[in-house]
Structure formats: structure tokens, C-alpha cells
Amino acid sequence: MTAHSDPHPIADSVRLALPAEAAAIAAIQRRSWPERLPEPVSEQLLGQADLEQMAELWEQAISRPPQARYRVLVAIGNEQLVGFATTTPSPDTDAHPQTDGAIDEFVIDRPAQRQGHGSRLLNACADTLRADGFTHARWWLVSTDDITRRFLQEAGWAPDGAHREIGTEDGSHRIKQIRLHTDITES
């Protein structure tokens, strides 16, 4: 019986990533850069980052994470990987290491957007951070990303006043970011 005629298809879901999914995660990440980053930055990243090397880094992050509370989650739709996110303790200097978690990467592949995968992935990130003992979550967002900001604000996130600039190693391109946060304790 094929997956299409299966009377019990796998529901759209979110779960921890498997090492074998590293290449799919890397491919989605590469496809997202031109949509999420200014053109000069995305072009430079695409020129520097080889898909195979990226897949190796993702496999390592999944199977041998840099910290015990570092997680890679994947969104599954139509029985295939359609997005991913990472959760970790917040690396910010003003963060409390035991209570402040962060969502570092969060990408839903363009063809799978607006189908509920982002909401499921966001909820799973909050659940994962909560299970790892965090009570607050942080997210650095490109200041011009109004779509993601609206999505997060509708889910209860708000700017906390922090901002920063990141950019290329040579300093030729800078990206302004704002930080959003939310309380993830159960109410």
C-alpha cells in the first residue's frame, strides 16, 4: 500500500529531528536565506556554505548537540520535512542561564507556509523549552520582518526593547535585529 492510499496517513506534526534528516534541514535553510536576508548577505552565505558541509553540521547538532538543552525540532507535513527550529539556552549576556531559553533558527519551507506548520512548530518550541526548565523565551528577529513579528505578536510575544546589529565578517553588510520575548510558564 502506498503512502497516498494509506487509510491512516501520518498527521502533520512536530518532533525532535533525526540525524538522517540533516541534509533536508540544510536544504530548507539554504532555500530560506534569499527570503529572510538581504540579497548581498544571502548571496555571500550561499557562496560560502556548501550543502554537504551544512548537512554535516546539522547532523552533529542533532546527534551531538553543543549543550544538553540544545534541541533541533522538525515540522512534518504530507509525510515529509517542511520546516525546522532550534531551541537553546539564551546566549544573551543579560539572560539568566537557568530560566531564559531561545529560539535560534525557525524556518518553514515556502511551499508549506500558511498551513499551520509554523504554529505547531512554535508551540512545540515553547513546550520543549518549558520541558528543559526555562520559564521565558527569546527570539532575535530581523527588524524589517513584519510577517514574522505579527505572527509572534499574535502568539503572545512582544519586543523587550533590546536590539543589535549583526553582519558579515568583513563588516560590509549589517542586519538590524530586535528581540522579542514571552513567558512560557503554564498558566
Side-chain angles (χ1 to χ4, degrees):
M1 189 178 291
T2 66
H4 299 300
S5 63
D6 186 343
H8 305 290
I10 297 172
D12 292 349
S13 61
V14 175
R15 60 169 168 70
L16 290 174
L18 302 172
E21 295 168 324
I25 292 169
I28 290 172
Q29 184 179 37
R30 285 179 64 86
R31 284 194 299 273
S32 77
W33 286 340
E35 299 167 4
R36 296 176 24 208
L37 301 170
E39 186 177 342
V41 176
S42 66
E43 286 179 3
Q44 186 172 15
L45 284 172
L46 288 168
Q48 294 173 346
D50 171 78
L51 181 61
E52 188 174 308
Q53 292 170 332
M54 289 176 65
E56 288 174 18
L57 291 172
W58 278 110
E59 191 278 330
Q60 181 178 340
I62 295 164
S63 60
R64 295 178 307 283
Q67 302 176 37
R69 297 188 296 171
Y70 181 99
R71 313 276 184 227
V72 180
L73 294 94
V74 292
I76 306 297
N78 294 323
E79 301 183 32
Q80 63 183 353
L81 196 145
V82 296
F84 69 94
T86 59
T87 61
T88 186
S90 175
D92 298 335
T93 57
D94 64 344
H96 186 284
Q98 298 304 314
T99 60
D100 293 326
I103 297 174
D104 187 39
E105 287 281 338
F106 189 97
V107 178
I108 300 296
D109 210 6
R110 180 174 284 283
Q113 291 177 2
R114 303 206 182 278
Q115 298 175 27
H117 301 296
S119 295
R120 277 188 292 280
L121 187 57
L122 181 61
N123 288 330
C125 286
D127 290 344
T128 300
L129 288 165
R130 192 177 308 108
D132 281 338
F134 298 108
T135 56
H136 295 88
R138 296 172 173 206
W139 184 320
W140 284 102
L141 180 68
V142 175
S143 63
T144 57
D145 187 349
D146 295 334
I147 293 171
T148 303
R149 186 186 316 196
R150 188 170 35 256
F151 167 70
L152 291 173
Q153 287 178 321
E154 288 172 0
W157 292 69
D160 68 4
H163 60 279
R164 69 182 181 187
E165 282 191 26
I166 60 171
T168 57
E169 289 181 15
D170 65 7
S172 61
H173 301 288
R174 307 296 294 165
I175 299 171
K176 293 181 181 181
Q177 293 184 315
I178 61 167
R179 188 173 67 194
L180 279 73
H181 71 122
T182 192
D183 182 327
I184 56 172
T185 55
E186 303 224 42
S187 41

